[in-house]
Amino acid sequence: MVRNTLWAKLWTMTLAAFPAFPAVAQEDPYDPLKRNVEAFTGMLEQALELDGGLFGLGGERVDSMYLAGHGLVLEVRSNLASARSQLNLVVLNNSVLALRQGDNPFAMLARQSGEEAEDDEPLIDEDERNPRFELLSRARDIDYSTAVNSAISQAGEYARILRDADGVDNDSFEQLRAEIESLRQENRDGALRLRELTEELSASALGQGERFEQALGELSAEMEQLRERAIELAGDLREQSESAQLERAARWREDVASLELRLTGAMCEYGASLRELPANENVTVILNGLGDESSGGDRADLVRTFSKSDLLLCAGGDIDPVVLGARSGRYSY
């Protein structure tokens, strides 16, 4: 009996050594604000027509953070930011694909041919100045295959830019691809015929000169036409792609303006629901990637700041969303 009593006392003392735990954990002081902000961001996502996708994995969303003494910071991630990556006109205008006169591949080829002719001139003996040699020189001069390939590649790149800028539909793009591939095949065929003709001329007697001269003349006319068609196609596609890019950029700016209007409207309608936000603090909204673009091509965020006092005024009808937008801070950073 004594032993049992002793063990009971020891067990009681052991339990007393452990602190008593409350049945329910104490609530974080910011939990009410977190619940308030969660409900508000849900309403804001709907008002901004953001597509979060299945289980919120679509990429468009509103993230939040609270800075005590300053207020609520919301970051809006929209597809407009990713769409902007296709609107880099600086890259387009400075592209090596530009077909400016004097910098196009045909002008460069002509200069190179002239330089090669000057370099080769001392090596030409007077006895070599015969009709066959002149025909071989003409064959070299009409070999536009490298330059035509360059123009065709440029046309293909401009067609891609045009498609990405919604300047052509899929069917029209496939027709352009077929036309470009047809030019490329013509160029290959012409280069092959010229090479075969040159080899035959090098191995033939002088008596065949008249026949070769006629063949070279016909091939030269065909290659010249091919060159002009390649230049014209690349030039047309460049103009179309630049125009489509400008139009798409204008539409993008209109979409950003529309998003801002929906934002101020939502802030006016739902801003008063942020009851847990202190009255002297702000709601700062960062529109990710939608700020002004610098001359260097860097893309900033667009920042809008609303005071809670203005949100309450707008909710009460004392000011309208237009005035609310005008009174809010707006800058790119």
Side-chain angles (χ1 to χ4, degrees):
M1 178 64 70
V2 174
R3 179 177 299 177
N4 291 339
T5 301
L6 178 61
W7 278 110
K9 290 182 178 180
L10 290 174
W11 179 248
T12 301
M13 294 173 61
T14 301
L15 291 176
F18 289 93
F21 291 95
V24 180
Q26 188 176 5
E27 185 179 58
D28 188 291
Y30 290 111
D31 280 348
L33 177 60
K34 290 178 182 178
R35 290 192 292 268
N36 194 187
V37 170
E38 183 177 357
F40 175 76
T41 55
M43 292 185 290
L44 186 60
E45 287 176 347
Q46 290 184 356
L48 297 181
E49 302 175 5
L50 301 183
D51 182 11
L54 185 63
F55 305 118
L57 301 177
E60 291 194 305
R61 65 182 186 275
V62 177
D63 296 328
S64 64
M65 175 183 291
Y66 176 68
L67 302 178
H70 172 79
L72 180 63
V73 179
L74 304 175
E75 184 175 18
V76 177
R77 297 181 179 274
S78 69
N79 290 336
L80 286 174
S82 56
R84 188 176 193 172
S85 63
Q86 299 176 349
L87 301 174
N88 199 334
L89 297 179
V90 175
V91 173
L92 176 64
N93 291 333
N94 294 332
S95 173
V96 294
L97 303 176
L99 289 174
R100 293 188 299 271
Q101 185 63 32
D103 289 334
N104 65 64
F106 308 113
M108 289 188 289
L109 183 64
R111 289 197 297 269
Q112 292 170 359
S113 297
E115 293 169 359
E116 291 172 359
E118 292 177 0
D119 294 339
D120 291 343
E121 188 65 28
L123 302 178
I124 300 174
D125 188 85
E126 289 297 326
D127 292 337
E128 293 178 304
R129 295 189 181 280
N130 53 55
R132 185 169 61 183
F133 179 79
E134 292 178 2
L135 288 175
L136 288 172
S137 298
R138 284 180 55 191
R140 183 184 63 181
D141 292 341
I142 68 171
D143 186 5
Y144 299 137
S145 57
T146 300
V148 171
N149 269 333
S150 177
I152 290 172
S153 297
Q154 292 167 9
E157 182 65 14
Y158 283 129
R160 183 191 62 78
I161 294 173
L162 186 61
R163 178 200 59 187
D164 292 344
D166 296 331
V168 291
D169 56 25
N170 290 333
D171 291 340
S172 298
F173 177 70
E174 290 302 322
Q175 291 177 4
L176 283 174
R177 286 186 58 185
E179 183 178 358
I180 291 170
E181 183 56 35
S182 177
L183 287 175
R184 183 174 285 112
Q185 185 59 51
E186 286 185 51
N187 191 44
R188 285 195 291 260
D189 293 343
L192 177 61
R193 287 167 55 199
L194 181 61
R195 182 164 59 252
E196 292 174 347
L197 188 62
T198 302
E199 292 173 354
E200 187 178 354
L201 176 62
S202 300
S204 298
L206 290 178
Q208 298 293 323
E210 183 176 348
R211 183 175 67 83
F212 285 118
E213 185 171 1
Q214 180 180 355
L216 274 178
E218 294 173 354
L219 184 56
S220 176
E222 292 178 13
M223 296 295 287
E224 178 64 25
Q225 290 179 0
L226 179 62
R227 181 179 75 165
E228 292 175 356
R229 287 162 56 200
I231 290 177
E232 183 178 3
L233 178 61
D236 288 346
L237 288 176
R238 178 190 177 186
E239 291 180 2
Q240 292 179 45
S241 63
E242 289 179 340
S243 177
Q245 285 278 75
L246 290 172
E247 291 177 3
R248 183 166 185 175
R251 293 196 303 271
W252 182 85
R253 285 189 288 268
E254 291 175 357
D255 290 341
V256 172
S258 177
L259 181 66
E260 287 193 80
L261 287 177
R262 293 198 299 274
L263 173 64
T264 54
M267 297 302 292
C268 182
E269 184 173 358
Y270 305 119
S273 68
L274 291 169
R275 293 177 296 274
E276 301 298 331
L277 184 70
N280 63 337
E281 293 186 349
N282 303 316
V283 178
T284 298
V285 182
I286 301 173
L287 299 172
N288 182 269
L290 304 187
D292 296 333
E293 186 170 306
S294 68
S295 58
D298 296 330
R299 296 161 187 170
D301 296 331
L302 178 59
V303 182
R304 301 294 302 268
T305 301
F306 305 86
S307 67
K308 183 173 181 181
S309 59
D310 283 345
L311 295 180
L312 294 176
L313 287 175
C314 198
D318 297 309
I319 60 175
D320 60 22
V322 176
V323 175
L324 176 65
R327 293 174 66 159
S328 68
R330 184 184 189 278
Y331 61 93
S332 296
Y333 181 78

